Amino acid sequence: MLLAQITDLHVTAGGEPAYRLVNSAACLSRAVDALLALQPRPDAVLVTGDLAFDGRPEEYAVIAEEFARLPMPVFAVPGNHD
């Protein structure tokens, strides 16, 4: 079984930068693009650490939308922000 792991997403909503530095939603989108481009594709994706920046519902909506693009299962082990 081939696993891919991504960690500490800290996704914000509405394009606001996480820590006033990084558009974490855009970074997640690029990570999903990279996962989709892998050959062979992983059998599953493990997501560890903080998923959302503040734990707001709109942040989880962004995360869910991005993960819905993946054809493989996604398993989350959330961090303390979640």
Side-chain angles (χ1 to χ4, degrees), residues 15-75:
E16 63 186 78
Y19 303 103
R20 297 186 202 146
L21 296 172
V22 147
N23 183 337
S24 54
C27 291
L28 174 57
S29 183
R30 288 194 302 273
V32 169
D33 289 343
L35 290 167
L36 290 169
L38 289 174
Q39 291 299 324
R41 278 194 179 156
D43 297 304
V45 176
L46 178 63
V47 185
T48 58
D50 296 318
L51 304 177
F53 187 72
D54 288 320
R56 294 180 291 153
E58 55 269 22
E59 294 169 342
Y60 292 108
V62 170
I63 295 164
E65 184 176 318
E66 285 299 329
F67 287 158
R69 296 174 43 211
L70 294 171
M72 70 284 287
V74 176
F75 300 100

